[in-house]
Amino acid sequence: MLFASAPSSDSIDGGSIPGLAEVPAFRLSGSAASPVPVLIAVPHAGRAYPRALLSAMRDAEYAAPRLEDRLVDALAREVARATGAALLVANAPRAMLDLNRAADDVDWEMIADAPVMTTRPAPGRRARSGLGLVPRRLPGRGEIWRGRLERSELEARIAGIHTPYHATIDAVLADMRARWGAALLIDFHSMPPLAARASGAPAAEFVIGDRFGGACDGALVGAAFAHFAENGRRAAHNRPYAGGYALERHAAPRRGIHALQLEVDRGAYLDPSLREPGTGMDDTAALLAGWVRRLADEAALLGGERATDWAVAAE
C-alpha cells in the first residue's frame, strides 16, 4: 500500500519503520493542491530511531546525528510553506536506510546471511566507501555497528521505507507533469561547511547537482545559479556533490521530469555548534523560497501549453 493514512487534508503518511510502528516512514504534504510544479524531497533528516537500532550502534550518540542532514527538514518546511511546493520528508533515519542509494547498493559483508557471491549483485561505489544503502562506516570513526544485520531486517527496511518512498516520488512527479507539462524534483540536503578553495576564494555555501547535465534542462540550472549570484551568495556546480540515486532514478528531462540536488551549508541555518536552529534560518529560508519560485517559473515555461492551460484553469 503506497500511503498508510491521511492525518489531514494536506498531508499523507506512508511507509513503515521496522521496530517503530507508531511513526510513518515519511510524510507527503501539499501535493494535491500544489500551485507550482515542484516537489521538494528531504531524504536524510529523519530522526525516528527505533530503540533496537540505537542499541546496535557502537556509539549512537556520535554516529546517528552525523549521518543526518541536521534539521534541514525544518528549513525545507519553511521553503515549502512560502512557495506552495509539495514536500516529502522522510522520518526514517539515514542510519537505518539511505534513501539516496539504490536498493541493491549493499555492502554484503555486513549482512549476516548474505546470498552467495554468484547470486548477489556486486556492491556499488557508495557501498564500497562505507556509505551504501545501510551505512557501515563513518570517515575517521570506523565501523558504525556492533554486529551484522540480518537479511530479513534489510528486506523489511527496503519494503517499508525505500520502495514506498520512491514510488511516492514517481506518483507525485507523474501527476505534476500531467497537470503542468513538466515537473521538478529538488532533492534537498545539507552539508558541513566546505573548505576554502585553493585559490583562497571563500567556499561555496550551496552546491547544485544535476548529474553533470543529465538530470535537468539547462534553463533550470542557469536560473538556479543566477538567483544565488544576484543575491550575492556563492554556489558550486556538481562538486563535490553531483546528485545521487534520487536523480539517477527519477530524472527524465526528455519526458518533462527534471531534478536537481541542493546542498546547503549547515552554517547558513544552524547555530555555531551545527546542532540547533541558528540566526540564519529565516534569511536562508527566504533566499531559498525565492530560488524555488524562480525554478518553478522556469519549469512551468518548459511545460509549454499544458502549463498555460493549467494556470488558466486554476484562476
Side-chain angles (χ1 to χ4, degrees):
M1 185 175 181
L2 185 61
F3 302 128
S5 62
S8 75
S9 60
D10 191 49
S11 63
I12 300 171
D13 289 342
S16 59
I17 301 176
L20 201 64
E22 65 272 22
V23 181
F26 56 84
R27 173 167 289 183
L28 172 67
S29 304
S31 63
S34 175
V36 292
V38 176
L39 170 63
I40 299 172
V42 186
H44 285 168
R47 297 181 294 279
Y49 290 94
R51 184 173 299 176
L53 184 78
L54 295 175
S55 297
M57 303 180 82
R58 292 180 184 271
D59 187 353
E61 187 174 352
Y62 176 89
R66 280 161 180 78
L67 288 167
E68 297 173 6
D69 284 351
R70 182 68 180 171
L71 296 181
V72 80
D73 54 322
L75 181 62
R77 285 189 180 94
E78 287 301 307
V79 174
R81 182 192 59 76
T83 61
L87 177 66
L88 179 65
V89 176
N91 297 318
R94 186 183 182 190
M96 173 170 267
L97 183 138
D98 191 332
L99 287 162
N100 204 24
R101 302 290 184 264
D104 62 356
D105 194 2
V106 176
D107 181 346
W108 291 106
E109 295 300 320
M110 66 184 296
I111 308 302
D113 49 351
V116 297
M117 288 294 295
T118 56
T119 62
R120 70 194 192 205
R125 174 179 58 82
R126 297 181 181 97
R128 292 194 301 272
S129 75
L131 292 173
L133 182 69
V134 178
R136 179 176 178 175
R137 292 183 295 272
L138 280 172
R141 194 72 173 190
E143 295 283 334
I144 295 171
W145 306 103
R146 298 181 186 276
R148 292 185 175 186
L149 178 69
E150 296 294 327
R151 187 177 176 186
S152 60
E153 173 65 18
L154 172 64
E155 291 171 347
R157 295 179 189 183
I158 293 171
I161 303 168
H162 194 279
T163 298
Y165 177 89
H166 286 286
T168 298
I169 293 178
D170 284 335
V172 172
L173 293 176
D175 180 65
M176 285 182 173
R177 182 185 59 182
R179 289 187 286 140
W180 291 87
L184 173 63
L185 169 66
I186 298 174
D187 209 41
F188 206 92
H189 297 258
S190 70
M191 61 184 180
L194 297 175
R197 300 171 186 173
S199 65
E205 302 166 274
F206 306 92
V207 178
I208 298 167
D210 66 350
R211 301 298 301 170
F212 300 99
C216 73
D217 189 276
L220 288 162
V221 178
F225 279 98
H227 181 80
F228 288 133
E230 290 165 9
N231 284 274
R233 308 299 289 268
R234 301 180 300 278
H237 191 197
N238 285 320
R239 299 189 186 280
Y241 306 106
Y245 174 72
L247 270 59
E248 294 168 3
R249 169 167 173 166
H250 298 291
R254 292 184 179 180
R255 295 192 290 110
I257 295 179
H258 307 269
L260 288 172
Q261 179 173 292
L262 176 68
E263 296 275 357
V264 183
D265 184 335
R266 289 173 197 152
Y269 67 95
L270 294 178
D271 66 5
S273 72
L274 303 183
R275 294 280 299 173
E276 301 299 333
T279 58
M281 176 71 81
D282 290 347
D283 286 347
T284 302
L287 172 74
L288 293 177
W291 186 76
V292 168
R293 291 190 196 98
R294 186 159 183 169
L295 292 178
D297 288 345
E298 289 293 336
L301 288 173
L302 290 172
E305 292 183 1
R306 288 190 185 181
T308 302
D309 292 343
W310 179 256
V312 171
E315 290 179 354

